[in-house]
Amino acid sequence: SPVPEDAPTGTVVALLKVRDRDSGENGQVSCELSGEAALSMVASSGGSYKVVTASALDREQASEQRVTVVARDRGRPSLWSSREVVLEVSDVNDN
């Protein structure tokens, strides 16, 4: 669902769960966002993450926010996977 451009900073826009079935360091996974967007990631418990608004959204400047979520394990060599997340921004003052 689109997020209104007047959503307050800290609004949760996605919930992610990452896991690796390996044991030890190979099973420990971290997540991060890459890309220029008004979004950030907050770690929760049990391999869960929240993608939240990090600043004000402005539909006139960007009708969508695109970021890449990168998950990496702590093995040697480190393995990783990535997915793109697209957030549509809805206009609240359009006549």
Coordinates of all heavy atoms in Angstrom, one line a residue:
S1 N 0.8 -1.2 0.0 CA 0.0 0.0 0.0 C 0.9 1.2 0.0 O 1.9 1.3 0.7 CB -0.9 0.0 1.2 OG -1.8 -1.1 1.3
P2 N 0.5 2.3 -0.7 CA 1.2 3.5 -0.7 C 1.2 4.1 0.7 O 0.3 4.0 1.5 CB 0.5 4.4 -1.7 CG -0.3 3.5 -2.5 CD -0.6 2.3 -1.7
V3 N 2.3 4.9 1.0 CA 2.4 5.6 2.3 C 2.2 7.0 2.0 O 2.8 7.6 1.0 CB 3.8 5.3 2.9 CG1 4.1 6.2 4.1 CG2 4.1 3.9 3.2
P4 N 1.3 7.7 2.8 CA 1.1 9.1 2.5 C 2.3 10.0 2.8 O 3.1 9.7 3.7 CB -0.1 9.5 3.5 CG 0.0 8.4 4.5 CD 0.6 7.2 3.9
E5 N 2.5 11.0 2.0 CA 3.7 11.9 2.1 C 3.7 12.6 3.4 O 4.8 13.0 3.8 CB 3.7 12.9 1.0 CG 2.6 13.9 0.9 CD 2.7 14.8 -0.3 OE1 3.8 14.9 -0.9 OE2 1.8 15.5 -0.5
D6 N 2.6 12.7 4.2 CA 2.7 13.3 5.5 C 2.9 12.3 6.6 O 2.7 12.6 7.8 CB 1.4 14.1 5.7 CG 0.1 13.3 5.8 OD1 0.2 12.1 5.4 OD2 -0.9 13.9 6.1
A7 N 3.3 11.1 6.3 CA 3.6 10.1 7.3 C 4.7 10.6 8.2 O 5.7 11.1 7.7 CB 3.9 8.7 6.7
P8 N 4.6 10.4 9.5 CA 5.6 10.9 10.4 C 6.9 10.1 10.3 O 6.9 8.9 10.0 CB 5.0 10.8 11.8 CG 3.9 9.9 11.7 CD 3.4 9.9 10.3
T9 N 8.0 10.7 10.6 CA 9.3 10.0 10.7 C 9.2 8.9 11.7 O 8.6 9.0 12.7 CB 10.4 11.0 11.1 OG1 10.5 12.1 10.2 CG2 11.8 10.3 11.2
G10 N 9.7 7.7 11.3 CA 9.6 6.5 12.1 C 8.5 5.6 11.8 O 8.3 4.6 12.4
T11 N 7.7 6.0 10.8 CA 6.5 5.1 10.4 C 7.1 3.8 9.8 O 8.0 3.9 8.9 CB 5.7 5.9 9.3 OG1 5.1 7.0 9.9 CG2 4.6 5.0 8.8
V12 N 6.6 2.7 10.2 CA 7.0 1.4 9.7 C 6.4 1.2 8.4 O 5.2 1.2 8.3 CB 6.7 0.3 10.7 CG1 7.0 -1.1 10.1 CG2 7.3 0.5 12.1
V13 N 7.2 0.9 7.4 CA 6.7 0.7 6.0 C 6.9 -0.7 5.5 O 6.3 -1.2 4.6 CB 7.3 1.7 5.0 CG1 6.9 3.1 5.4 CG2 8.8 1.6 4.9
A14 N 7.7 -1.5 6.2 CA 8.0 -2.9 5.9 C 8.5 -3.6 7.1 O 9.3 -3.1 7.9 CB 8.9 -3.0 4.7
L15 N 8.2 -4.9 7.2 CA 8.7 -5.8 8.2 C 9.5 -6.9 7.5 O 8.9 -7.5 6.6 CB 7.7 -6.4 9.1 CG 6.9 -5.4 10.0 CD1 5.7 -6.1 10.7 CD2 7.8 -4.7 11.0
L16 N 10.7 -7.2 7.9 CA 11.5 -8.2 7.2 C 12.0 -9.2 8.2 O 12.3 -8.9 9.4 CB 12.7 -7.6 6.5 CG 12.5 -6.4 5.6 CD1 13.8 -5.8 5.2 CD2 11.7 -6.9 4.4
K17 N 12.1 -10.5 7.8 CA 12.6 -11.5 8.6 C 13.7 -12.2 7.8 O 13.4 -12.6 6.7 CB 11.5 -12.5 9.0 CG 12.0 -13.7 9.7 CD 11.9 -13.5 11.2 CE 12.2 -14.9 11.9 NZ 12.5 -14.7 13.3
V18 N 14.9 -12.3 8.3 CA 16.0 -12.9 7.6 C 16.5 -14.1 8.5 O 16.5 -14.0 9.7 CB 17.2 -11.9 7.3 CG1 16.7 -10.9 6.4 CG2 17.7 -11.3 8.6
R19 N 16.9 -15.1 7.8 CA 17.4 -16.3 8.5 C 18.4 -17.0 7.6 O 18.3 -17.0 6.4 CB 16.3 -17.2 9.0 CG 15.5 -17.8 7.9 CD 14.4 -18.6 8.4 NE 13.6 -19.0 7.2 CZ 12.9 -20.1 7.1 NH1 12.8 -20.9 8.1 NH2 12.2 -20.3 6.1
D20 N 19.3 -17.8 8.2 CA 20.2 -18.6 7.6 C 20.2 -19.9 8.4 O 20.4 -19.9 9.6 CB 21.6 -18.0 7.6 CG 22.6 -18.7 6.7 OD1 22.5 -20.0 6.6 OD2 23.6 -18.1 6.2
R21 N 20.0 -21.0 7.7 CA 19.9 -22.3 8.4 C 21.2 -22.9 8.8 O 21.2 -23.9 9.5 CB 19.1 -23.3 7.5 CG 17.7 -22.9 7.4 CD 16.9 -23.9 6.7 NE 15.5 -23.5 6.7 CZ 14.7 -23.5 5.6 NH1 15.1 -24.0 4.5 NH2 13.4 -23.1 5.7
D22 N 22.3 -22.2 8.5 CA 23.6 -22.7 8.9 C 23.8 -22.5 10.4 O 23.0 -21.8 11.0 CB 24.8 -22.0 8.2 CG 24.9 -22.3 6.7 OD1 24.4 -23.4 6.3 OD2 25.4 -21.5 6.0
S23 N 24.8 -23.1 11.0 CA 25.1 -23.0 12.4 C 26.3 -22.1 12.6 O 27.0 -21.8 11.7 CB 25.3 -24.3 13.1 OG 26.4 -25.0 12.5
G24 N 26.5 -21.6 13.8 CA 27.7 -20.8 14.2 C 27.6 -19.5 13.4 O 26.6 -18.9 13.2
E25 N 28.8 -19.0 13.2 CA 28.9 -17.7 12.5 C 28.3 -17.7 11.1 O 27.7 -16.7 10.7 CB 30.4 -17.2 12.3 CG 30.9 -16.7 13.6 CD 32.3 -16.0 13.4 OE1 32.9 -16.2 12.4 OE2 32.7 -15.3 14.3
N26 N 28.3 -18.8 10.4 CA 27.6 -18.9 9.1 C 26.1 -18.7 9.2 O 25.5 -18.3 8.2 CB 27.9 -20.3 8.5 CG 29.3 -20.4 8.0 OD1 30.0 -19.5 7.8 ND2 29.7 -21.7 7.8
G27 N 25.5 -18.9 10.4 CA 24.1 -18.7 10.5 C 23.7 -17.3 11.0 O 22.5 -17.0 11.1
Q28 N 24.7 -16.5 11.4 CA 24.4 -15.2 11.9 C 24.3 -14.2 10.7 O 25.3 -14.1 9.9 CB 25.5 -14.7 12.9 CG 25.5 -15.6 14.1 CD 26.7 -15.2 15.0 OE1 27.4 -14.2 14.8 NE2 26.9 -16.0 16.1
V29 N 23.2 -13.5 10.6 CA 22.9 -12.7 9.5 C 22.7 -11.2 9.9 O 22.0 -11.0 10.9 CB 21.7 -13.2 8.7 CG1 21.4 -12.3 7.5 CG2 21.8 -14.6 8.3
S30 N 23.2 -10.3 9.1 CA 23.0 -8.9 9.4 C 22.3 -8.3 8.1 O 22.5 -8.8 7.0 CB 24.2 -8.1 9.7 OG 25.1 -8.2 8.6
C31 N 21.6 -7.3 8.3 CA 20.9 -6.6 7.2 C 21.2 -5.2 7.1 O 21.4 -4.5 8.2 CB 19.4 -6.8 7.4 SG 18.6 -7.8 6.2
E32 N 21.2 -4.6 5.9 CA 21.4 -3.2 5.8 C 20.7 -2.7 4.5 O 20.4 -3.5 3.6 CB 22.9 -2.8 5.7 CG 23.6 -3.4 4.5 CD 25.1 -3.2 4.6 OE1 25.7 -3.2 5.6 OE2 25.7 -3.0 3.5
L33 N 20.5 -1.4 4.4 CA 19.8 -0.8 3.2 C 20.9 -0.1 2.5 O 21.8 0.5 3.0 CB 18.8 0.3 3.6 CG 17.5 -0.2 4.3 CD1 16.6 1.0 4.6 CD2 16.8 -1.2 3.4
S34 N 20.8 -0.1 1.1 CA 21.7 0.7 0.3 C 20.8 1.4 -0.7 O 19.7 1.0 -1.1 CB 22.7 -0.2 -0.4 OG 22.1 -1.0 -1.4
G35 N 21.3 2.6 -1.0 CA 20.5 3.4 -2.0 C 20.1 4.7 -1.3 O 20.2 4.9 -0.1
E36 N 19.8 5.7 -2.1 CA 19.4 7.0 -1.6 C 17.9 7.1 -1.5 O 17.2 7.1 -2.4 CB 19.9 8.1 -2.7 CG 21.4 8.1 -2.9 CD 22.1 8.7 -1.8 OE1 21.6 9.6 -1.1 OE2 23.2 8.3 -1.5
A37 N 17.5 7.1 -0.2 CA 16.1 7.1 0.1 C 15.8 7.7 1.4 O 16.8 7.8 2.3 CB 15.4 5.8 -0.1
A38 N 14.6 8.1 1.7 CA 14.2 8.6 3.0 C 13.8 7.5 3.9 O 12.9 7.6 4.7 CB 13.1 9.6 2.8
L39 N 14.5 6.3 3.8 CA 14.2 5.2 4.7 C 15.4 4.7 5.4 O 16.5 4.9 5.0 CB 13.7 4.0 3.7 CG 12.5 4.3 2.8 CD1 12.2 3.2 1.9 CD2 11.3 4.6 3.7
S40 N 15.2 4.0 6.5 CA 16.3 3.4 7.3 C 15.8 2.1 7.8 O 14.6 1.8 7.8 CB 16.8 4.3 8.4 OG 15.7 4.5 9.4
M41 N 16.7 1.3 8.3 CA 16.4 0.0 8.9 C 16.7 -0.1 10.4 O 17.7 0.4 10.8 CB 17.2 -1.1 8.1 CG 16.8 -2.5 8.5 SD 17.6 -3.7 7.5 CE 16.6 -3.6 6.0
V42 N 15.8 -0.7 11.1 CA 15.9 -0.8 12.6 C 15.9 -2.3 12.9 O 14.9 -3.0 12.5 CB 14.8 -0.1 13.3 CG1 14.9 -0.3 14.8 CG2 14.8 1.4 12.9
A43 N 16.9 -2.8 13.6 CA 16.9 -4.3 14.0 C 15.9 -4.5 15.1 O 15.8 -3.7 16.0 CB 18.3 -4.7 14.4
S44 N 15.2 -5.6 15.0 CA 14.4 -6.1 16.1 C 14.9 -7.4 16.6 O 16.0 -7.8 16.2 CB 12.9 -6.3 15.6 OG 12.4 -5.0 15.2
S45 N 14.2 -8.1 17.4 CA 14.7 -9.4 17.9 C 14.4 -10.5 16.9 O 13.6 -10.5 16.0 CB 14.0 -9.7 19.2 OG 12.6 -9.9 19.0
G46 N 15.3 -11.6 17.0 CA 15.1 -12.8 16.3 C 15.2 -12.7 14.8 O 14.6 -13.4 14.0
G47 N 16.1 -11.9 14.3 CA 16.4 -11.7 12.9 C 15.3 -10.9 12.2 O 15.2 -11.0 10.9
S48 N 14.5 -10.1 12.9 CA 13.5 -9.3 12.3 C 14.1 -7.9 12.1 O 14.9 -7.4 13.0 CB 12.3 -9.3 13.1 OG 11.7 -10.5 13.2
Y49 N 13.6 -7.2 11.1 CA 14.0 -5.8 10.9 C 12.8 -5.0 10.5 O 11.8 -5.5 9.8 CB 15.0 -5.7 9.7 CG 16.4 -6.3 10.1 CD1 16.6 -7.7 10.0 CD2 17.4 -5.5 10.6 CE1 17.8 -8.3 10.3 CE2 18.6 -6.1 10.9 CZ 18.8 -7.5 10.8 OH 20.0 -8.0 11.1
K50 N 12.8 -3.7 10.8 CA 11.7 -2.8 10.4 C 12.4 -1.8 9.4 O 13.4 -1.3 9.7 CB 11.1 -2.0 11.6 CG 10.5 -2.9 12.6 CD 10.0 -2.0 13.8 CE 9.5 -2.9 14.9 NZ 9.2 -2.0 16.1
V51 N 11.7 -1.6 8.3 CA 12.1 -0.5 7.4 C 11.1 0.7 7.8 O 9.9 0.5 7.8 CB 11.9 -0.8 5.9 CG1 12.3 0.3 5.0 CG2 12.8 -2.1 5.6
V52 N 11.7 1.8 8.1 CA 11.0 3.0 8.6 C 11.3 4.2 7.8 O 12.4 4.3 7.2 CB 11.2 3.2 10.1 CG1 10.8 2.0 11.0 CG2 12.7 3.6 10.4
T53 N 10.4 5.2 7.9 CA 10.7 6.5 7.2 C 11.8 7.2 8.1 O 11.6 7.2 9.3 CB 9.5 7.3 7.1 OG1 8.8 7.5 8.4 CG2 8.5 6.7 6.1
A54 N 12.8 7.7 7.5 CA 13.9 8.4 8.2 C 13.8 9.9 8.1 O 14.4 10.6 8.9 CB 15.2 7.9 7.7
S55 N 13.0 10.3 7.2 CA 12.8 11.8 7.0 C 11.5 12.0 6.3 O 10.8 11.0 5.9 CB 13.9 12.4 6.2 OG 14.0 11.8 4.9
A56 N 11.1 13.2 6.1 CA 9.8 13.6 5.5 C 9.8 13.1 4.1 O 10.8 13.1 3.4 CB 9.6 15.1 5.5
L57 N 8.6 12.6 3.6 CA 8.5 12.2 2.2 C 7.8 13.3 1.5 O 7.0 14.0 2.0 CB 7.5 11.0 2.2 CG 8.0 9.7 3.0 CD1 6.9 8.7 3.0 CD2 9.3 9.2 2.4
D58 N 8.2 13.5 0.2 CA 7.6 14.6 -0.6 C 7.3 14.0 -2.0 O 8.2 13.7 -2.8 CB 8.5 15.7 -0.7 CG 7.9 16.9 -1.5 OD1 6.8 16.8 -2.1 OD2 8.6 18.0 -1.5
R59 N 6.0 13.7 -2.2 CA 5.6 13.1 -3.5 C 6.0 13.9 -4.7 O 6.3 13.3 -5.8 CB 4.1 12.8 -3.5 CG 3.7 12.1 -4.8 CD 2.4 11.5 -4.7 NE 1.7 10.9 -5.9 CZ 2.2 10.3 -6.9 NH1 3.5 10.2 -7.0 NH2 1.5 9.9 -7.9
E60 N 6.0 15.2 -4.6 CA 6.4 16.1 -5.7 C 7.9 15.9 -6.1 O 8.3 16.0 -7.3 CB 6.1 17.5 -5.4 CG 4.6 17.9 -5.5 CD 3.8 17.4 -4.4 OE1 4.3 17.2 -3.3 OE2 2.6 17.1 -4.6
Q61 N 8.7 15.5 -5.1 CA 10.1 15.3 -5.4 C 10.4 13.9 -5.8 O 11.2 13.6 -6.7 CB 11.0 15.6 -4.2 CG 11.1 17.1 -3.9 CD 12.0 17.4 -2.8 OE1 12.5 16.5 -2.1 NE2 12.3 18.6 -2.5
A62 N 9.7 12.9 -5.2 CA 9.9 11.5 -5.5 C 8.6 10.7 -5.3 O 8.1 10.7 -4.1 CB 11.0 10.9 -4.7
S63 N 8.0 10.2 -6.3 CA 6.7 9.5 -6.1 C 6.9 8.1 -5.6 O 6.0 7.4 -5.2 CB 5.9 9.4 -7.4 OG 6.7 8.7 -8.4
E64 N 8.2 7.6 -5.5 CA 8.5 6.3 -4.9 C 9.9 6.4 -4.3 O 10.7 7.2 -4.8 CB 8.4 5.2 -5.9 CG 9.3 5.3 -7.1 CD 9.1 4.2 -8.1 OE1 8.0 3.7 -8.3 OE2 10.1 3.8 -8.7
Q65 N 10.1 5.5 -3.4 CA 11.4 5.4 -2.7 C 11.9 4.0 -3.0 O 11.2 3.0 -2.8 CB 11.3 5.6 -1.2 CG 10.8 6.9 -0.8 CD 11.8 8.0 -0.9 OE1 13.0 7.8 -0.6 NE2 11.4 9.2 -1.4
R66 N 13.1 3.9 -3.6 CA 13.7 2.6 -3.9 C 15.0 2.4 -3.1 O 15.9 3.2 -3.1 CB 14.1 2.5 -5.4 CG 12.9 2.5 -6.3 CD 13.4 2.4 -7.8 NE 12.2 2.2 -8.6 CZ 11.7 1.1 -9.0 NH1 12.3 0.0 -8.7 NH2 10.6 1.1 -9.8
V67 N 15.1 1.2 -2.4 CA 16.3 0.9 -1.7 C 16.5 -0.6 -1.9 O 15.6 -1.4 -2.3 CB 16.2 1.1 -0.2 CG1 16.1 2.6 0.1 CG2 15.0 0.4 0.4
T68 N 17.7 -1.0 -1.7 CA 18.1 -2.4 -1.8 C 18.4 -2.9 -0.4 O 19.2 -2.3 0.3 CB 19.3 -2.6 -2.7 OG1 19.0 -2.1 -4.0 CG2 19.7 -4.1 -2.8
V69 N 17.8 -4.0 0.0 CA 18.1 -4.7 1.3 C 19.1 -5.7 1.0 O 19.0 -6.6 0.1 CB 16.8 -5.4 1.8 CG1 17.1 -6.1 3.1 CG2 15.7 -4.3 2.0
V70 N 20.2 -5.6 1.7 CA 21.3 -6.6 1.6 C 21.5 -7.4 2.9 O 21.7 -6.8 4.0 CB 22.7 -5.9 1.2 CG1 23.8 -6.9 1.1 CG2 22.5 -5.0 0.0
A71 N 21.4 -8.7 2.8 CA 21.6 -9.6 4.0 C 22.9 -10.3 3.8 O 23.1 -10.9 2.7 CB 20.4 -10.5 4.1
R72 N 23.7 -10.3 4.8 CA 25.0 -11.0 4.8 C 25.2 -11.9 6.0 O 24.8 -11.6 7.1 CB 26.2 -10.0 4.9 CG 26.3 -9.1 3.7 CD 27.5 -8.1 3.9 NE 27.4 -7.0 3.1 CZ 27.7 -7.0 1.8 NH1 28.1 -8.2 1.2 NH2 27.6 -6.0 1.0
D73 N 25.8 -13.1 5.8 CA 26.1 -13.9 6.9 C 27.5 -13.6 7.4 O 28.2 -12.8 6.7 CB 25.9 -15.4 6.6 CG 26.9 -16.0 5.7 OD1 27.9 -15.4 5.4 OD2 26.7 -17.2 5.2
R74 N 27.9 -14.2 8.5 CA 29.2 -13.9 9.1 C 30.2 -15.0 8.8 O 31.3 -15.0 9.4 CB 29.1 -13.7 10.6 CG 28.3 -12.4 10.9 CD 28.3 -12.0 12.3 NE 29.6 -11.8 12.8 CZ 29.9 -11.8 14.1 NH1 29.0 -12.0 15.0 NH2 31.1 -11.6 14.5
G75 N 29.9 -15.8 7.8 CA 30.8 -16.9 7.4 C 32.0 -16.4 6.7 O 32.1 -15.2 6.3
R76 N 33.0 -17.3 6.4 CA 34.2 -16.9 5.6 C 34.2 -17.9 4.5 O 34.4 -19.1 4.7 CB 35.4 -17.0 6.5 CG 35.4 -16.2 7.7 CD 36.5 -15.2 7.7 NE 36.6 -14.6 9.0 CZ 36.1 -13.4 9.3 NH1 35.4 -12.8 8.4 NH2 36.3 -12.9 10.5
P77 N 34.1 -17.5 3.2 CA 33.7 -16.1 2.8 C 32.3 -15.8 3.1 O 31.4 -16.7 3.2 CB 33.9 -16.2 1.3 CG 33.7 -17.6 0.9 CD 34.1 -18.4 2.1
S78 N 32.0 -14.5 3.3 CA 30.6 -14.1 3.6 C 29.7 -14.3 2.4 O 30.1 -13.9 1.3 CB 30.7 -12.6 4.0 OG 29.4 -12.2 4.3
L79 N 28.6 -14.9 2.6 CA 27.6 -15.0 1.5 C 26.5 -13.9 1.7 O 26.3 -13.5 2.9 CB 26.9 -16.4 1.6 CG 27.9 -17.6 1.4 CD1 27.2 -18.9 1.5 CD2 28.6 -17.5 0.1
W80 N 25.9 -13.5 0.7 CA 24.9 -12.4 0.8 C 23.8 -12.6 -0.3 O 24.0 -13.3 -1.2 CB 25.6 -11.0 0.6 CG 26.3 -10.8 -0.7 CD1 27.5 -11.2 -1.0 CD2 25.7 -10.3 -1.9 NE1 27.8 -10.9 -2.3 CE2 26.7 -10.3 -2.9 CE3 24.5 -9.7 -2.2 CZ2 26.5 -9.8 -4.1 CZ3 24.3 -9.2 -3.5 CH2 25.3 -9.3 -4.4
S81 N 22.7 -11.9 0.0 CA 21.6 -11.9 -0.9 C 21.0 -10.5 -0.8 O 21.1 -9.8 0.2 CB 20.6 -12.9 -0.5 OG 19.5 -12.9 -1.4
S82 N 20.4 -10.0 -1.9 CA 19.8 -8.7 -1.9 C 18.4 -8.7 -2.6 O 18.2 -9.6 -3.5 CB 20.7 -7.7 -2.6 OG 20.8 -8.0 -4.0
R83 N 17.6 -7.8 -2.2 CA 16.3 -7.6 -2.8 C 16.0 -6.1 -2.9 O 16.3 -5.4 -1.9 CB 15.1 -8.3 -2.1 CG 15.2 -9.8 -2.0 CD 14.9 -10.4 -3.4 NE 14.9 -11.8 -3.4 CZ 15.9 -12.6 -3.7 NH1 17.0 -12.1 -4.0 NH2 15.8 -13.9 -3.6
E84 N 15.3 -5.7 -3.9 CA 14.9 -4.3 -4.0 C 13.5 -4.1 -3.3 O 12.6 -4.9 -3.5 CB 14.8 -3.8 -5.4 CG 14.5 -2.3 -5.6 CD 14.5 -1.8 -7.0 OE1 13.7 -2.4 -7.8 OE2 15.3 -0.9 -7.3
V85 N 13.4 -3.0 -2.6 CA 12.1 -2.6 -2.0 C 11.7 -1.3 -2.6 O 12.5 -0.4 -2.6 CB 12.3 -2.5 -0.4 CG1 11.0 -2.0 0.2 CG2 12.7 -3.8 0.2
V86 N 10.4 -1.3 -3.0 CA 9.9 0.0 -3.6 C 8.7 0.4 -2.8 O 7.8 -0.3 -2.6 CB 9.5 -0.3 -5.1 CG1 8.9 1.0 -5.7 CG2 10.6 -0.8 -5.9
L87 N 8.8 1.7 -2.3 CA 7.7 2.3 -1.6 C 7.1 3.4 -2.4 O 7.7 4.3 -2.8 CB 8.3 2.9 -0.3 CG 7.4 3.7 0.6 CD1 6.3 2.8 1.2 CD2 8.1 4.5 1.6
E88 N 5.8 3.2 -2.6 CA 5.0 4.2 -3.3 C 4.6 5.3 -2.3 O 4.1 5.0 -1.2 CB 3.8 3.6 -4.0 CG 4.2 2.7 -5.2 CD 2.9 2.2 -5.9 OE1 1.9 2.9 -6.0 OE2 3.0 1.0 -6.2
V89 N 4.7 6.6 -2.7 CA 4.3 7.7 -1.9 C 3.0 8.3 -2.4 O 3.0 8.6 -3.6 CB 5.4 8.7 -1.8 CG1 5.0 9.9 -0.9 CG2 6.7 8.1 -1.3
S90 N 2.0 8.4 -1.6 CA 0.8 9.0 -2.1 C 0.7 10.5 -1.7 O 1.3 10.9 -0.7 CB -0.4 8.3 -1.5 OG -0.5 8.4 -0.1
D91 N 0.0 11.2 -2.5 CA -0.1 12.7 -2.3 C -1.3 13.0 -1.4 O -2.3 12.4 -1.5 CB -0.4 13.3 -3.7 CG -0.1 14.8 -3.7 OD1 0.1 15.4 -2.6 OD2 0.0 15.4 -4.8
V92 N -1.1 13.9 -0.4 CA -2.2 14.2 0.5 C -2.8 15.5 0.2 O -3.9 15.8 0.7 CB -1.7 14.1 2.0 CG1 -1.2 12.8 2.3 CG2 -0.6 15.2 2.2
N93 N -2.2 16.3 -0.6 CA -2.8 17.7 -0.9 C -3.2 17.9 -2.4 O -3.2 19.0 -2.8 CB -1.9 18.8 -0.4 CG -0.5 18.7 -1.0 OD1 -0.3 17.8 -1.9 ND2 0.4 19.6 -0.6
D94 N -3.4 16.8 -3.1 CA -3.7 16.9 -4.5 C -5.2 17.2 -4.7 O -6.1 16.6 -4.1 CB -3.4 15.6 -5.2 CG -3.3 15.7 -6.7 OD1 -3.3 16.8 -7.2 OD2 -3.2 14.7 -7.4
N95 N -5.5 18.2 -5.5 CA -6.9 18.6 -5.6 C -7.4 17.9 -6.9 O -7.5 18.1 -7.9 CB -7.0 20.1 -5.8 CG -6.7 20.8 -4.4 OD1 -6.9 20.2 -3.4 ND2 -6.1 22.0 -4.5

